[in-house]
Amino acid sequence: MSAITATRLSKSFGTVPAVDDLSFTVEPGTVTAFLGPNGAGKTTTLRMLLGLVTPTSGAALIGGRPYRDLADPVCEVGAVLEAAAFHPGLTARTHLEILRTAAGLAADRVGHVLDQVDLTGAAGRRAGGFSLGMRQRLALATALLGDPAVLILDEPANGLDPAGAHWLRGFLRAYALQGRTVLVSTHVLTEIQQIADHVIIISEGRMVFTGPLASGSDLEELYLEATR
Ligand SMILES: Nc1ncnc2c1ncn2[C@@H]1O[C@H](COP(=O)(O)OP(=O)(O)OP(=O)(O)O)[C@@H](O)[C@H]1O
């Protein structure tokens, strides 16, 4: 079964058709790049997959079910959507501890995800003093708490320094190699080209390209051609 399925998915905000009859699948064991110009409908699509926006019509499924019907959502899908807001007075570890407790996860998960995103050294610092890149790492750590099979990330490299972006690429590649599913929305084509197996490009809410990314192919050329 596909890890993620969108079937004839549409969403209008008033008279604005943000997503228009969009169908695609995302397979386990792949990194899929979800691309499109500003306002193409990427974030709206991701929010529908995560049950945060109700589709006007069509279906958005994770593991064959709408998000609201998942038995154990924290363990099935982790997400980073835009720059997450953290309470400035709470430490990274406290943020994660609160989420871990609410989700009923094992006590060792907090230390594990802090290690995974390389934030262990800053775990006792307040999030209010974090740089953008550190906040991105903390947001990724929250997404990883349930050790989910599916990761949905909106611009995850935003604010990461070159070493951080390099680290993130390796992390996502390894995540997919474990048979898990990674769907990443980004505008940074040179970076995603290095790790994506599959590409979905939308424009004005509609699919303009979906297919595997052959090694050696030029993603920027493909993108510019598809969105012109
Ligand atoms: N809550 C909302 N109310 C009204 N219009 C919205 C809302 N959310 C999104 N839109 C509109 O839907 C369209 C798609 O927006 P969306 O944020 O999904 O695009 P995007 O592809 O993620 O863009 P970007 O690359 O700039 O982040 C835009 O025209 C946007 O103005």
Side-chain angles (χ1 to χ4, degrees):
M1 189 205 305
S2 298
I4 295 173
T5 312
T7 309
R8 307 211 64 181
L9 193 58
S10 297
K11 177 68 189 182
S12 295
F13 294 104
T15 56
V16 179
V19 175
D20 187 6
D21 202 19
L22 186 62
S23 297
F24 63 84
T25 59
V26 180
E27 304 308 321
T30 65
V31 174
T32 296
F34 190 42
L35 311 176
N38 292 131
K42 302 179 298 296
T43 300
T44 304
T45 301
L46 300 183
R47 292 177 72 85
M48 285 193 278
L49 285 168
L50 294 163
L52 297 168
V53 166
T54 306
T56 306
S57 61
L61 309 178
I62 310 271
R65 293 164 188 240
Y67 184 90
R68 66 173 180 277
D69 292 344
L70 296 179
D72 197 0
V74 176
C75 300
E76 292 176 65
V77 55
V80 177
L81 291 185
E82 294 157 304
F86 296 106
H87 189 294
L90 297 181
T91 68
R93 187 183 298 281
T94 304
H95 274 105
L96 293 166
E97 202 52 62
I98 290 168
L99 293 169
R100 180 197 72 76
T101 309
L105 300 169
D108 63 358
R109 289 301 301 161
V110 168
H112 189 76
V113 296
L114 282 165
D115 272 352
Q116 273 183 297
V117 304
D118 204 14
L119 261 190
T120 304
R125 284 175 52 188
R126 293 194 171 117
F130 275 13
S131 68
L132 178 56
M134 290 166 84
R135 288 202 301 277
Q136 283 286 29
R137 286 171 190 264
L138 181 53
L140 183 59
T142 65
L144 294 170
L145 263 179
D147 199 17
V150 176
L151 266 186
I152 294 179
L153 309 173
D154 201 358
E155 290 287 352
N158 196 12
L160 293 182
D161 59 26
H166 176 81
W167 163 81
L168 182 66
R169 287 197 301 276
F171 179 82
L172 297 180
R173 188 71 255 152
Y175 212 76
L177 278 172
Q178 292 167 9
R180 305 186 203 222
T181 308
V182 181
L183 179 62
V184 191
S185 171
T186 181
H187 292 297
V188 192
L189 304 183
T190 47
E191 287 192 0
I192 197 69
Q193 165 146 22
Q194 298 177 48
I195 58 164
D197 308 286
H198 199 91
V199 182
I200 296 168
I201 306 176
I202 66 171
S203 182
E204 297 179 354
R206 301 183 73 97
M207 174 74 70
V208 291
F209 176 86
T210 180
L213 185 62
S215 65
S217 63
D218 186 337
L219 181 58
E220 188 180 55
E221 201 175 297
L222 174 69
Y223 174 91
L224 292 173
E225 182 68 28
T227 55
R228 188 165 69 175

